[in-house]
Amino acid sequence: MGKKIAILGYGPSETKIHEKLSSMNYQVDWIQGDLEHKNLKRDLMISFGYRKLIPREFLELQSTPVINLHMSLLPKNRGAHPLFWALLNSEPVGVTIHELDEGLDTGDILFQRQISLDTSMTFRQAHKLARESLEELLLENIDSLFEIDSYKTKQSGSGSFHKKSDLPAGFLGWDSIIEEAVNDLRNQN
């Protein structure tokens, strides 16, 4: 087996990266639960859909890169529901792979890709397309993610942050058509 990769968050039934990385001869482990004070001794750690802030103490114990897969063009739309906020605010839509630090989606940027979405699809369909684009970006660049110091870039410009509770009360739901839901929310204000 090749290098060891830990995936924090989405399991094998939620993302194709477990299977794809295994087929590329990487040893892949799915890690769940409390991370504090654990040195996982992997060659790379990937946070994807992990729902907790990873403690600084955990990050300090690791001697290898710990990265996050995020569904926005950082520094815009840090935190929860990034794709929703980009669409609501008519901002460019994209995905980012970034190094983790003690902040929330504030680490150095490794790779980004802008994507196009059709606003006649649902938010759920858009999320699926963005997730697939992010998975592809990871798989295309996996070999370079084991040594990130030479190409990482500090986040620059003004960013934004959203909590789960920021989602507007009048939002029609994830199965609503993007254009209709966005227009509805704008008309409510």
Side-chain angles (χ1 to χ4, degrees), residues 114-133:
Q114 189 166 341
I115 57 175
S116 297
L117 296 174
D118 182 350
T119 58
S120 67
M121 66 176 58
T122 67
F123 282 95
R124 191 174 310 280
Q125 292 167 324
H127 185 273
K128 181 178 185 283
L129 287 175
R131 187 183 71 237
E132 290 169 354
S133 179

Side-chain angles (χ1 to χ4, degrees), residues 20 39 61 115 127-128 146 148 172 180:
K20 294 284 187 182
N39 183 345
L61 286 173
I115 57 175
H127 185 273
K128 181 178 185 283
F146 295 94
I148 61 175
L172 300 173
E180 293 171 7

Side-chain angles (χ1 to χ4, degrees), residues 66-103:
V66 183
I67 64 169
N68 185 52
L69 310 184
H70 187 73
M71 285 194 227
S72 82
L73 293 171
L74 292 173
K76 295 284 189 180
N77 302 307
R78 295 177 178 127
H81 309 302
L83 183 60
F84 169 84
W85 293 105
L87 291 165
L88 180 66
N89 297 323
S90 300
E91 296 169 342
V93 175
V95 295
T96 301
I97 299 174
H98 67 94
E99 184 176 29
L100 274 175
D101 61 13
E102 65 272 3

